[in-house]
Amino acid sequence: MNKVDLLKNLRNVSQGNFFSTEVPKATKEDEKNIEELVRELESEGKIKLRECVQREYSVYLHGIIKYADE
């Protein structure tokens, strides 16, 4: 998964500006990769993350998508 795919996924599951999704992971490296992608999207101003919960087989993400620049 890359940054563009993650952002598309978040836009598809969003309701208005809010999103809530679980991204499946297979390894600890996947978990770190997802966290890094989310940090990059936040630093670029595309999303505002409210919650990131590490679960056994997925990473739960909850936040706001910023639509100012598509």
Side-chain angles (χ1 to χ4, degrees), residues 2-38:
N2 62 26
K3 185 171 52 174
V4 174
D5 291 337
L6 180 59
L7 186 58
K8 284 181 184 178
N9 182 15
L10 295 177
R11 285 188 175 150
N12 287 336
V13 300
S14 67
Q15 295 177 346
N17 287 5
F18 296 97
F19 65 86
S20 178
T21 188
E22 288 195 41
V23 181
K25 66 177 183 177
T27 64
K28 281 285 192 189
E29 187 173 312
D30 290 344
E31 178 181 321
K32 291 177 185 177
N33 185 29
I34 292 167
E35 287 178 358
E36 185 176 315
L37 293 174
V38 168

